[in-house]
Amino acid sequence: MRIRTRTTLSGPVIALAGELDHDSAPEIRDLFPSLPLKHGQQLVVDLGGLTLCDSSGITVLIAARDIAVAAHSTVVLAAVPDTGSRTLSIVGLDQVFPAHPTAQAAEAAWTPPTG
C-alpha cells in the first residue's frame, strides 16, 4: 500500500494505491486522526490507485467518516474504481459517501462554510 497525503484549502487529501485489505487497513485507519481536518472542511479519500478493497477497506472508509463527523466536516471519495462503486452500492454506502471522478473535482466542488 502506498499512501500520499496533501493539504488543500478544502482539507486533507489522502491518496491510496495498492491493496486496501486486512494487512494495510490498520496503518490507514491510524493515520486519520493526525490529518489536519478543520471544522467545515472535507477529507478527500482518493481511491484511484486501488487494486483491491476488501471488507477491511470498507471499514476504513467508515472510520474516515467517523473522524470527519467528529471534526464537523465531511468525507468524500474520489476516483472510485468500478468494482468499488459496485460494492459501495450493494452495501448502501453510495448514499453515505459523495463521490467525484477525481480528487481535483472533489476539491472544486467543496463549498466553504459561511459565517
Side-chain angles (χ1 to χ4, degrees), residues 61-110:
L61 297 178
I62 293 169
R65 182 182 182 280
D66 293 344
I67 293 292
V69 168
H72 303 284
S73 302
T74 59
V75 62
V76 299
L77 305 179
V80 181
D82 289 340
T83 55
S85 290
R86 185 170 188 278
T87 301
L88 291 173
S89 177
I90 289 169
V91 298
L93 291 176
D94 59 332
Q95 302 300 309
V96 174
F97 294 105
H100 298 275
T102 65
Q104 292 77 14
E107 294 165 43
W110 175 71

Side-chain angles (χ1 to χ4, degrees), residues 12-102:
V13 176
I14 181 168
L16 305 175
E19 296 182 353
L20 179 50
D21 58 12
H22 177 75
D23 292 328
S24 62
E27 176 184 5
I28 299 162
R29 201 173 27 255
D30 291 347
L31 176 67
F32 290 137
S34 68
L35 295 173
L37 184 61
K38 297 178 184 152
H39 186 283
Q41 287 186 320
Q42 68 180 3
L43 168 59
V44 176
V45 181
D46 184 343
L47 305 176
L50 286 187
T51 57
L52 172 85
C53 181
D54 69 8
S55 61
S56 298
I58 298 297
T59 303
V60 165
L61 297 178
I62 293 169
R65 182 182 182 280
D66 293 344
I67 293 292
V69 168
H72 303 284
S73 302
T74 59
V75 62
V76 299
L77 305 179
V80 181
D82 289 340
T83 55
S85 290
R86 185 170 188 278
T87 301
L88 291 173
S89 177
I90 289 169
V91 298
L93 291 176
D94 59 332
Q95 302 300 309
V96 174
F97 294 105
H100 298 275
T102 65

